[in-house]
Amino acid sequence: MADWSRVLPGALKCKRFCLRHGWTAVTVLAVFGVVMIGLGAYTGLAPGTETVTEQRGAQTITAESNVSAVVGPKSALWAEGTRLENRPAYLLRDSPNATIDARFRVSNGEFSSVDPTFRLEYRAVRDGETIWSESSPVNATVEQNADRVAATTTVNVSAVAEKIRAREADTRKAASVRATIVLEVPYETDRYDGTLVAKFPVSVDGTAYELDPASASETRTTPVQIERPTEPNVPLVVVLLTLGTLGLLGGGAAYRVTRGPSSEAALLELERRIEHARYAEWISVGEFPTDLSQELVRLENLDDLVNLAVDANGRVIYDRERDAYAVIRRDIVYYVGDRAEVVSEWQFGKVPTQVENES
């Protein structure tokens, strides 16, 4: 009964509303349903557009390198003229000169101009901070044709090692002196221009040195704003169509109620059912005896009778045959119903004109 008391009054109130405002309810629900379905169809079939930024005209400019050293006449390990490429280390006595071969390319286009340069940098570093630096250009050979853009330079690493030791002596070893070969590549393509930078650290350790290949690349694009259709908002479409369907179903139900006769008696009966459903958890169905001798008191509405039952920690008895409600307290019967039928049938004697308070 408690569950029905939550659900049934709402349904009965809707029916009451339809009886009172029938054609208005039908029109409002029908229009609402049609509008929601129309909006749902439009949202699903005619999605909007959005402005997005696309990156177009992509070009990747790349610089790659190869490091090699030619063995000189003083080597006891390799024959003179042997070329050592991309080794983890080179011996200063055997291969004092290192060569860097750099190649440049651009994807989806071609160079308008390329001007690669090499320079040799020295830095004295202490605690990660540079306290002294020096830079000097290094001669390079540039080759540029339709199929190839390249640059080559050769560095005397023995001379570099001597300069590192000399500068460390000048700083009294208060700082670490480092040498780096820097490749800078200013470029222009048919779309973009810029500069690539690749660095080749030179690490000298006693009789050997390390010089690893390096590379650099960057991708350039042009942002373009375009408009494109958006994907339909499926959850919104579902909600709109559902609301539209419910509106039409509600309009159909309201029409069924409205087209029937809506008399004052029907409305009163509906009000009674609503009130009964509201207090269903306090009401039990039963029959009233007719041979009682209690005093009879009539209350105006079921709300008062239920309050009386709650105060008395009792229940309201509903007699379907007499269509009446009653609460029996000691020798008094409080009831709600039609006085003419209930009193004459129960024969409880004179009906009081007011409710008497218990002492």
Side-chain angles (χ1 to χ4, degrees):
M1 296 294 289
D3 292 337
W4 276 105
S5 67
R6 296 188 183 96
V7 179
L8 188 57
L12 294 176
K13 288 177 181 178
C14 290
K15 186 174 181 180
R16 179 182 61 186
F17 179 83
C18 292
L19 287 175
R20 289 180 175 177
H21 314 283
W23 291 111
T24 301
V26 172
T27 303
V28 169
L29 290 173
V31 171
F32 174 80
V34 171
V35 170
M36 289 298 103
I37 290 178
L39 288 176
Y42 177 80
T43 303
L45 299 177
T49 60
E50 62 179 356
T51 301
V52 297
T53 300
E54 287 189 354
Q55 302 298 328
R56 295 184 176 180
Q59 285 186 337
T60 300
I61 298 89
T62 305
E64 298 174 335
S65 65
N66 182 68
V67 176
S68 63
V70 178
V71 177
K74 298 180 180 181
S75 176
L77 300 177
W78 296 280
E80 182 180 357
T82 302
R83 181 176 293 276
L84 307 177
E85 294 186 2
N86 301 325
R87 298 298 177 91
Y90 305 89
L91 299 178
L92 282 170
R93 184 188 63 181
D94 294 7
S95 308
N97 297 316
T99 299
I100 299 175
D101 295 306
R103 303 169 303 280
F104 316 106
R105 56 187 175 85
V106 57
S107 64
N108 302 320
E110 58 183 16
F111 287 112
S112 300
S113 67
V114 184
D115 186 20
T117 59
F118 290 90
R119 70 175 184 270
L120 184 58
E121 289 185 348
Y122 295 93
R123 292 188 303 139
V125 180
R126 181 181 176 87
D127 297 330
E129 298 291 335
T130 299
I131 62 174
W132 168 83
S133 64
E134 180 182 277
S135 178
S136 59
V138 180
N139 292 331
T141 301
V142 179
E143 178 186 353
Q144 186 171 0
N145 52 49
D147 300 325
R148 173 183 171 86
V149 179
T152 302
T153 188
T154 300
V155 177
N156 188 331
V157 183
S158 294
V160 173
E162 291 177 3
K163 190 164 185 176
I164 289 175
R165 287 191 289 267
R167 292 296 177 264
E168 286 181 342
D170 293 339
T171 62
R172 293 178 175 82
K173 296 189 177 181
S176 173
V177 179
R178 304 171 184 174
T180 303
I181 301 171
V182 180
L183 168 63
E184 284 192 356
V185 190
Y187 67 85
E188 289 185 8
T189 71
D190 52 345
R191 295 176 182 172
Y192 309 105
D193 60 77
T195 301
L196 287 180
V197 178
K199 295 185 177 183
F200 304 80
V202 181
S203 177
V204 180
D205 182 13
T207 60
Y209 66 91
E210 297 178 6
L211 182 60
D212 296 325
S215 63
S217 68
E218 63 179 2
T219 299
R220 306 288 299 274
T221 58
T222 300
V224 177
Q225 287 190 336
I226 62 171
E227 287 191 354
R228 66 182 183 186
T230 58
E231 294 294 329
N233 190 336
V234 177
L236 178 60
V237 172
V238 172
V239 169
L240 292 175
L241 293 180
T242 301
L243 290 175
T245 302
L246 292 176
L248 292 179
L249 292 176
Y255 173 74
R256 292 184 60 185
V257 174
T258 302
R259 68 177 183 175
S262 56
S263 62
E264 188 66 25
L267 286 174
L268 291 175
E269 172 62 19
L270 203 54
E271 293 284 359
R272 189 196 64 78
R273 292 177 60 189
I274 292 173
E275 196 173 31
H276 182 99
R278 182 185 301 127
Y279 299 114
E281 59 181 319
W282 295 98
I283 298 173
S284 296
V285 178
E287 294 182 359
F288 295 114
T290 57
D291 58 350
L292 298 177
S293 60
Q294 289 100 326
E295 185 177 357
L296 188 68
V297 177
R298 180 178 179 273
L299 302 182
E300 289 297 328
N301 53 65
L302 184 58
D303 182 72
D304 292 338
L305 192 64
V306 171
N307 289 333
L308 184 66
V310 172
D311 293 340
N313 197 25
R315 296 188 64 79
V316 177
I317 306 300
Y318 173 61
D319 192 317
R320 291 177 176 171
E321 182 177 353
R322 298 179 176 89
D323 193 21
Y325 302 87
V327 173
I328 301 174
R329 295 188 61 184
R330 299 177 184 175
D331 56 350
I332 301 177
V333 175
Y334 300 89
Y335 80 96
V336 172
D338 185 273
R339 178 182 305 192
E341 295 184 5
V342 175
V343 173
S344 60
E345 190 167 336
W346 286 356
Q347 298 178 356
F348 284 135
K350 184 180 179 181
V351 179
T353 58
Q354 63 182 4
V355 178
E356 298 179 0
N357 294 327
E358 291 186 354
S359 57

